[in-house]
């Protein structure tokens, strides 16, 4: 028997529910927002085992690494937001020019409405929930679309969010291209996308149809420059850590190293030793090292292993989706591994004559998400800071900038647009509403800037008002 009920597409049901929740003001009180953030915090605390298990299933992530880079990171972000939310949500008074006085003016941050968060697979929990923290703190209703390529984590997020946050305001839509394409037909008030530049163009084009603003968190080849002024052993250890965590599948991982021939010769040995120190001789058996997400990524990465002389690593196992932490020397800049973002555990060493050549090479290419410099030479550091453009620049600490909540996290040019973390996450999902209040008496406008324009008003406008702003 045919049902007499009209069948609604489930995505439309989610979307309309969120529009209604936003319209009826549920998400506006700061107390509601705090409760959601506390719910997220509690979920991470009580269900960390489930998340760790899912992350291991999807990416072979060691539990401690999951804690450092996903769960713990989110807990810190939640604490920071809870600590500051009262301050961030308060209207901020601004000064009023003398010509407009008497009046008062302030900025009131207000939620944008219903927003969409689309996440990638490499940090599949953190990159769903980190923007969600900002979206909820700002008082929005949210659809979260986790990555279908990390299905275990996606399923846990979908299941647990319904238990810990207000489902009237937060929905999870699981799925891939088909579901995302459908979602993109709706008019959102903001779309927050993390992933590749190729897909970002699809997202931006769909958003443009509704004039929806977007934050695009993308990737690219993040360079690392090192010179002879630093301790090679100490630097190599940090480089190896930043590059090979999550088996190199980190948007801000150093993609390749630029250095002089002499520095590279020294560094090779230290990189070799640092890989051994962090991961031992039998890396495949080491539970502290992860796996490649899928066969397609594995095959792509494996094809790069012939692009240079292997300093350390080079082993792979398709069955296990394992590629050892690999350093490649004598790499030509026109080889496959240097074409696009590597996004895996392969680190090419590229020889340059000096810092000027390194900077020229970086500036010839797309603006990177991160640029990392190891040098004690203040002139060299200044050159990188003033002569290159990247989402972030760190001296001596690749990747670590993203743990500083007051530093904007985002790209520039091909590595993305917009930034978040800390207050900027709140700002990304807020509208800064300008409010001005001016009493009707005394009338300061009639005698100054309103017609009829007398000679006195002209003198005032030309000689006085503009100068007393
Ligand atoms: P991706 O672009 O393939 O997928 C990301 C999301 O887009 C997924 O949720 C997916 O379902 C969706 N998607 C894929 N194809 C789509 C389509 N045709 N239409 C609509 N939606 C679609 O990205 P990825 O491979 O998952 O991620 C890798 C890239 O992400 C790398 O370039 C990496 O540097 C970048 N990244 C950036 C950051 C950052 O914070 N800047 C963090 C992680 C990854």
């Amino acid at each position: 028997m045919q049902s007499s009920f009209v069948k609604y597409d489930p995505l439309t049901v989610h979307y309309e529910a969120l529009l209604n929740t936003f319209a009826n003001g549920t998400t506006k009180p700061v107390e509601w927002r705090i409760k959601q953030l506390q719910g997220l915090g509690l979920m991470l605390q009580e269900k960390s085992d489930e998340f760790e298990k899912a992350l291991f299933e999807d990416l072979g992530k060691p539990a401690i690494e999951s804690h450092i880079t996903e769960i713990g990171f989110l807990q810190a972000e939640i604490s920071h937001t809870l600590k500051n939310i009262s301050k961030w949500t308060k209207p901020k008074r601004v000064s009023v020019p003398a010509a407009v006085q008497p009046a008062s003016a302030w900025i009131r941050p207000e939620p944008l409405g219903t927003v969409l968060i689309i996440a990638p697979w490499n940090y599949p929990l953190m990159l769903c929930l980190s923007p969600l923290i900002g979206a909820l703190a700002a008082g929005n209703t949210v659809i979260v679309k986790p990555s279908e390529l990390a299905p275990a984590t996606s399923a846990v997020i979908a299941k647990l969010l319904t238990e810990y946050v207000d489902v009237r305001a937060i929905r999870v839509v699981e799925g891939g291209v088909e579901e995302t394409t459908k979602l993109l037909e709706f008019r959102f008030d903001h779309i927050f996308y993390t992933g590749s530049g190729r897909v970002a163009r699809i997202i931006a084009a769909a958003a443009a149809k509704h004039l929806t603003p977007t934050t695009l968190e993308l990737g690219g080849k993040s360079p690392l420059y090192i010179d002879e002024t630093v301790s090679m052993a100490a630097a190599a250890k940090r480089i190896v850590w930043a590059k090979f965590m999550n088996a190199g599948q980190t948007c801000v991982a150093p993609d390749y190293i630029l250095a002089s021939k002499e520095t590279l010769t020294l560094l090779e040995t230290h990189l070799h030793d640092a890989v051994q120190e962090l991961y031992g001789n039998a890396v495949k058996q080491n539970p502290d090292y992860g796996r490649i997400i899928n066969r397609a990524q594995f095959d792509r990465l494996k094809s790069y292993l012939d692009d240079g002389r292997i300093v350390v690593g080079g082993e792979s196992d398709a069955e296990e989706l394992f590629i050892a932490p690999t350093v490649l020397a004598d790499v030509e800049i026109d080889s496959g591994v240097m074409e696009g973002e590597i996004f895996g555990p392969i680190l090419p060493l590229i020889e340059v004559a000096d810092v000027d050549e390194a900077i020229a090479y970086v500036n010839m290419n797309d603006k990177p998400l991160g640029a990392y410099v190891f040098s004690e030479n203040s002139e060299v550091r200044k050159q990188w800071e003033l002569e290159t453009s990247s989402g972030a620049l760190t001296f001596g600490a690749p990747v670590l900038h993203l743990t500083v909540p007051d530093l904007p996290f985002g790209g520039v040019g091909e590595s993305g647009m917009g930034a978040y973390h800390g207050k900027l996450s709140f700002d990304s999902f807020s509208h800064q509403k300008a409010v001005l209040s001016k009493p009707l008496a005394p009338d300061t406008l009639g005698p100054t800037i309103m017609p009829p324009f007398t000679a006195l008003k002209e003198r005032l406008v030309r000689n006085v008002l503009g100068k007393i702003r």
Side-chain angles (χ1 to χ4, degrees):
M1 202 179 76
Q2 261 210 318
S3 160
S4 56
F5 291 109
V6 179
K7 269 200 173 160
Y8 286 106
D9 155 34
L11 296 189
T12 309
V13 173
H14 286 316
Y15 175 72
E16 289 187 350
L18 295 190
L19 292 187
N20 285 333
T21 303
F22 186 73
N24 69 30
T26 305
T27 61
K28 285 204 172 162
V30 179
E31 298 71 34
W32 180 90
R33 308 182 196 185
I34 289 173
K35 209 163 155 220
Q36 305 318 306
L37 296 171
Q38 287 169 336
L40 287 181
L42 193 64
M43 173 183 82
L44 292 168
Q45 188 193 322
E46 290 185 345
K47 305 290 177 172
S48 61
D49 285 3
E50 273 189 62
F51 284 119
E52 282 169 15
K53 209 166 135 249
L55 290 163
F56 181 77
E57 215 170 292
D58 287 330
L59 284 142
K61 276 200 205 215
I64 303 197
E65 192 178 291
S66 287
H67 200 87
I68 296 168
T69 60
E70 307 229 27
I71 299 164
F73 178 89
L74 289 166
Q75 286 170 326
E77 185 83 12
I78 291 168
S79 303
H80 182 77
T81 308
L82 282 171
K83 206 158 87 193
N84 290 289
I85 190 165
S86 308
K87 190 167 71 196
W88 294 344
T89 47
K90 280 205 180 83
K92 271 152 226 70
R93 206 165 260 284
V94 295
S95 63
V96 174
V100 183
Q101 282 176 12
S104 51
W106 60 95
I107 299 166
R108 172 171 291 279
E110 61 181 23
L112 294 170
T114 298
V115 304
L116 172 64
I117 294 170
I118 305 172
W121 52 264
N122 61 331
Y123 288 87
L125 174 65
M126 190 265 277
L127 293 170
C128 271
L129 299 198
S130 181
L132 179 63
I133 292 166
L136 292 176
N140 297 277
T141 57
V142 192
I143 291 186
V144 178
K145 214 296 288 170
S147 173
E148 75 282 15
L149 300 180
T153 311
S154 172
V156 177
I157 291 172
K159 184 184 84 164
L160 292 180
L161 276 184
T162 60
E163 292 174 23
Y164 285 89
V165 291
D166 187 344
V167 291
R168 293 172 302 165
I170 301 123
R171 300 285 164 103
V172 178
V173 170
E174 289 194 89
V177 177
E178 191 189 329
E179 290 75 9
T180 317
T181 306
K182 275 193 200 148
L183 282 174
L184 289 171
E185 285 171 16
F186 297 127
R187 184 201 173 97
F188 286 96
D189 296 294
H190 193 89
I191 299 177
F192 190 105
Y193 170 80
T194 307
S196 68
R198 181 186 69 81
V199 176
R201 286 167 166 79
I202 298 171
I203 308 290
K209 286 202 185 121
H210 298 295
L211 271 187
T212 295
T214 55
T215 303
L216 303 175
E217 293 285 339
L218 314 179
K221 288 182 93 61
S222 296
L224 187 149
Y225 175 76
I226 180 166
D227 68 21
E228 70 292 348
T229 61
V230 295
S231 152
M232 289 292 143
K237 203 166 155 181
R238 291 209 181 158
I239 294 168
V240 163
W241 169 74
K243 175 70 184 186
F244 299 117
M245 73 166 72
N246 205 29
Q249 300 160 111
T250 302
C251 58
V252 283
D255 190 89
Y256 60 95
I257 294 185
L258 295 168
S260 70
K261 189 176 175 141
E262 298 71 34
T263 302
L264 286 181
T265 308
L266 284 173
L267 186 63
E268 272 187 29
T269 323
H270 290 288
L271 287 172
H272 176 278
D273 294 351
V275 169
Q276 301 242 311
E277 186 184 343
L278 267 68
Y279 298 108
N281 280 323
V283 188
K284 203 160 96 178
Q285 283 75 43
N286 188 334
D288 292 349
Y289 184 70
R291 293 294 181 267
I292 305 305
I293 184 76
N294 58 30
R295 185 63 197 246
Q297 292 294 327
F298 174 88
D299 290 341
R300 179 182 66 81
L301 291 165
K302 190 166 186 303
S303 74
Y304 301 150
L305 293 173
D306 298 328
D307 286 351
R309 171 173 55 82
I310 289 175
V311 174
V312 62
E315 307 85 12
S316 64
D317 179 344
E319 284 270 291
E320 278 206 29
L321 297 174
F322 165 82
I323 295 183
T326 298
V327 176
L328 288 181
D330 308 333
V331 175
E332 302 291 337
I333 54 169
D334 57 358
S335 61
V337 74
M338 287 304 291
E339 243 169 49
E341 181 181 358
I342 298 168
F343 217 49
I346 301 168
L347 180 59
L349 308 181
I350 307 289
E351 186 187 320
V352 284
D354 52 24
V355 64
D356 294 325
E357 192 177 310
I359 287 178
Y361 179 73
V362 170
N363 287 341
M364 242 167 54
N365 290 290
D366 291 331
K367 291 180 181 175
L369 191 56
Y372 308 122
V373 175
F374 283 86
S375 175
E376 294 301 336
N377 181 329
S378 58
E379 280 309 306
V380 165
R381 291 159 73 116
K382 203 188 241 165
Q383 251 185 292
W384 279 93
E385 194 164 343
L386 298 181
E387 294 175 21
T388 66
S389 178
S390 52
L393 169 70
T394 77
F395 297 109
V399 170
L400 217 58
H401 57 286
L402 64 86
T403 62
V404 180
D406 288 335
L407 279 178
F409 182 74
V412 53
E414 197 65 28
S415 55
M417 61 174 84
Y420 72 131
H421 287 184
K423 179 160 189 298
L424 272 174
S425 292
F426 175 84
D427 290 345
S428 297
F429 291 102
S430 298
H431 166 58
Q432 306 294 334
K433 184 160 71 184
V435 187
L436 175 72
S437 174
K438 180 167 171 59
L440 284 165
D443 178 17
T444 57
L445 304 179
T448 53
I449 59 171
M450 283 184 187
F453 295 128
T454 60
L456 174 65
K457 287 183 188 178
E458 184 176 354
R459 273 204 309 281
L460 260 175
V461 168
R462 288 191 192 279
N463 302 325
V464 185
L465 290 185
K467 293 176 185 148
I468 57 170
R469 271 176 72 84

